[in-house]
Amino acid sequence: MQKLTIFALIGFVAQLMDGALGMGFGLSSSTILLSYGLAPAVASASIHMSQIATTAVSGFSHYKFGNVDKRLVMIIAVPGAISAFLGAAFLSYISGEFIRPYISIFLLSLGIYIIFRFLSLSKKTHIKEKKSVNKRFLLPLGIAGGFLDSVGGGGWGPVNTPALLSHSGIAPRKVIGTVDTSEFLVTVSATAGFLIFLGHDQFSWLLISSFVIGGVIAAPIAAWLVKTLPSSVLGVLAGGFIILTNTRTLLSSIQISDSVLTFVYTSLFFGYLLIVVFSIRNHLRVKMVRKQA
């Protein structure tokens, strides 16, 4: 019962983050599960199975609140679903112990990218918009996002959301809603791949049910909050959390003393706090400039 409660809480926080930022469920969940010692394929498979329910509720909620560009959904979802299936096949045949450090490095890199991405967004008083999105840009974007989503346990949002925010003329809330909605098809495809290549006995059903409970509760709340939450600050918070947890996983896999581990981790934690404070100050400054404009 205690594990069920803990995992349900993780699912709630992860989905709240994902629904508000267009990213975060897979990354934060896989980061925690890898630190628990789960094999990367099992962690990713379980996350994707639970996301079938959470992405369905999230997509419907975003649609009801008018946060979805229906044309864009299918353009990125179809290539993403195909590559997600291939990514599931790839991960299923790789040794968990072999790939675990590489997955942590990938997640750590995405955490750093997310922080810098949202720090740069928080400095802008306005975003220059374009009239349309080039399909030649969207196709490789969907392919990369789908593959990395399966292999890393998360990657659809971190690849697609920042790219669409910087290249499209769509309102940020519609970018987030569109990415979250299109993720449903990608999740179904990845889960089908894991079921075929891993088998249903490799799924952690306690984990899945816990994540579904927490995620389904959080999904409509996140869709409503996306219009008001300071996404720049939340993005930095999410990125820092991913960095801290995966740094711990990487350092634990090499032979270093406890004192060095404590020093590195403490330094990272205080650096993280400084970046969060910096992000909040930027957000308040931009808010004040917009009021005066």
Side-chain angles (χ1 to χ4, degrees):
M1 188 63 188
Q2 186 180 7
K3 267 191 175 181
L4 180 70
T5 305
I6 292 171
F7 285 141
L9 184 60
I10 292 170
F12 179 87
V13 174
Q15 183 56 48
L16 195 65
M17 188 188 304
D18 191 271
L21 296 173
M23 66 179 77
F25 189 99
L27 285 178
S28 54
S29 302
S30 59
T31 290
I32 293 169
L33 297 182
L34 286 176
S35 68
Y36 263 83
L38 265 72
V42 175
S44 185
S46 300
I47 289 167
H48 281 88
M49 178 64 82
S50 64
Q51 278 190 292
I52 291 178
T54 59
T55 54
V57 175
S58 180
F60 178 75
S61 301
H62 277 297
Y63 177 78
K64 293 298 287 184
F65 283 106
N67 298 335
V68 179
D69 184 318
K70 289 179 281 188
R71 183 190 67 89
L72 191 57
V73 166
M74 295 309 294
I75 295 177
I76 60 174
V78 173
I82 295 170
S83 63
F85 183 86
L86 297 175
F90 170 77
L91 187 62
S92 299
Y93 285 102
I94 299 295
S95 164
E97 291 305 314
F98 170 76
I99 202 170
R100 187 189 303 275
Y102 298 101
I103 296 296
S104 290
I105 290 170
F106 165 65
L107 294 173
L108 181 65
S109 302
L110 281 179
I112 294 170
Y113 173 71
I114 289 169
I115 281 186
F116 280 102
R117 179 66 192 160
F118 279 93
L119 276 178
S120 66
L121 284 178
S122 70
K123 294 176 184 177
K124 297 181 179 180
T125 55
H126 68 280
I127 299 173
K128 187 178 180 180
E129 297 185 347
K130 296 183 179 182
K131 292 182 179 179
S132 62
V133 189
N134 194 323
K135 289 185 180 180
R136 287 179 292 180
F137 165 74
L138 293 173
L139 181 62
L141 187 68
I143 292 172
F147 187 82
L148 292 175
D149 192 76
S150 288
V151 173
W156 182 251
V159 169
N160 286 280
T161 302
L164 290 175
L165 283 172
S166 61
H167 285 85
S168 71
I170 308 169
R173 67 181 181 86
K174 284 206 169 188
V175 168
I176 292 170
T178 299
V179 171
D180 269 13
T181 304
S182 61
E183 191 173 10
F184 173 73
L185 186 58
V186 174
T187 298
V188 170
S189 181
T191 305
F194 284 120
L195 278 170
I196 292 170
F197 298 108
L198 276 182
H200 66 86
D201 56 320
Q202 292 295 312
F203 285 76
S204 175
W205 296 104
L206 172 66
L207 172 65
I208 291 167
S209 59
S210 304
F211 273 17
V212 167
I213 292 169
V216 165
I217 294 171
I221 300 172
W224 174 68
L225 288 175
V226 74
K227 294 183 179 182
T228 56
L229 287 175
S231 58
S232 58
V233 177
L234 283 175
V236 170
L237 285 169
F241 168 75
I242 292 164
I243 290 170
L244 286 172
T245 313
N246 283 286
T247 298
R248 181 173 175 269
T249 302
L250 283 173
L251 292 177
S252 299
S253 66
I254 58 178
Q255 298 295 323
I256 59 173
S257 65
D258 290 341
S259 58
V260 173
L261 182 64
T262 303
F263 173 77
V264 172
Y265 210 65
T266 303
S267 300
L268 276 175
F269 180 74
F270 280 108
Y272 173 42
L273 289 179
L274 286 174
I275 291 173
V276 170
V277 171
F278 179 74
S279 176
I280 293 171
R281 288 184 62 186
N282 272 339
H283 170 71
L284 293 175
R285 180 184 61 81
V286 170
K287 194 175 179 181
M288 187 177 295
V289 169
R290 285 174 178 169
K291 279 186 177 179
Q292 293 172 350

